[in-house]
Amino acid sequence: MSPKDIDWKSLDFNYRETDYSYVSMYKDGKWDDGELTKDHTVTISECSGVLQYSQSCFEGLKAYTTEDGRIVCFRPDMNAKRMHDSCLRLEMPPFPEDRFVDAVEKVVKANKDWVPPYGSGATLYIRPYMFGFNPVIGVKPADEYMFRILVTPVGPYFKGGMKPVEVTIPDFDRAAPHGTGGIKAGLNYAMSLHPIMEAHRNGFNENMYLDPATRTKVEETGGANIIFIKDNGKTLVTPKSDSILPSITRRSICYIAENILGMKVEHREVFFREVAEGEFDEMGLCGTAAVISPVGQINDHGNIIHIKAGMEEMGPATRKLYDTLTGIQMGRLPAPEGWIYEIK
Ligand SMILES: *Cc1c(COP(=O)(O)O)cnc(C)c1O
């Protein structure tokens, strides 16, 4: 398939092979120089560390075409840093952060025809990832690793676009206290597949996980952080916990709320009771893939909690945050220092 054959406006969120990926190998204690490749397959030992013990982590970011036709990435240095943290927790050798950003630039530039045009609603999704490569049979970290970046053009993550979604409270936990919830490890997703399929089979869009220790506090969904709005749009509240993945979108939204929109920001433990008692006017799921997706109601084992903004449209404060964030990403609004990385 060639980028010319794509109808950008109706693009879904599925993998499509593009021209180039980036690959670098770690062997004998060091990373090689890395290169672009047209080979979109990987051949590994049947006993490789990733196949046996799931030693892998990943990142996700996007490239956008701005209003004035530039190609930009949003805060790639933050992804580099977070992957560094993920690697340390999994006993993997971090890929140097400056080389990470450089590799993102190289692979986006090599695939520039695949970056969807401004105004199409589509973006180029960038997926850096790393995994244990060589055979490992006793339980231990691999000695060799492959770092790759694939890119693929995508449309909106939720099919309904900006329509509010309904989430449910699963009987499963996402991440243990002191576990791996705070890093972007593939294993966090493997265990979420059954709960998300159950949620879908029951007619819900997403699972809203509670803290596994006490089941009284809100954590996040399988792949997005949560924001709440209260005080007539004046206050943004976002849950705090070591087992929540530190979303770059959420941290950017908090910055925008406080420094651009003049809102008050509370990053603190959020009790499910507060949500059930109607403390919040608006609620949203945020992440690179979803951007901000409004939540209209929560189904807690058949008991429906209505968020005041409702199931028809995004609430006004969420809308303002969404417009500001995407305005910055698409170059319509001035960006805070260092947020926009232009691919030249
Ligand atoms: C990737 C991810 C997010 C979103 O993070 P962003 O940096 O905003 O894309 C949220 N929760 C989980 C569990 C994730 O893996």
Side-chain angles (χ1 to χ4, degrees), residues 1-2 45 58 99 116 128 132 195 207 212 233 235-236 259 292 339:
M1 194 177 199
S2 121
S45 162
F58 65 98
R99 287 195 56 196
N207 284 309
T235 306
L236 182 147
N259 298 284
I292 305 178
W339 279 22

Side-chain angles (χ1 to χ4, degrees), residues 82 85 181-183 220 225 242 244-251:
R82 189 169 62 190
D85 296 343
I183 61 165
E220 60 171 323
N225 280 187
D242 289 343
I244 293 176
L245 193 280
S247 156
I248 296 162
T249 311
R250 186 254 302 161
R251 285 179 280 167

Side-chain angles (χ1 to χ4, degrees), residues 45 96 124 133 234-235 244 261 282-283 306 318:
S45 162
L124 186 73
F133 191 84
K234 288 205 242 338
T235 306
I244 293 176
L261 301 178
E282 300 175 40
M283 173 177 172
H306 298 275
T318 307

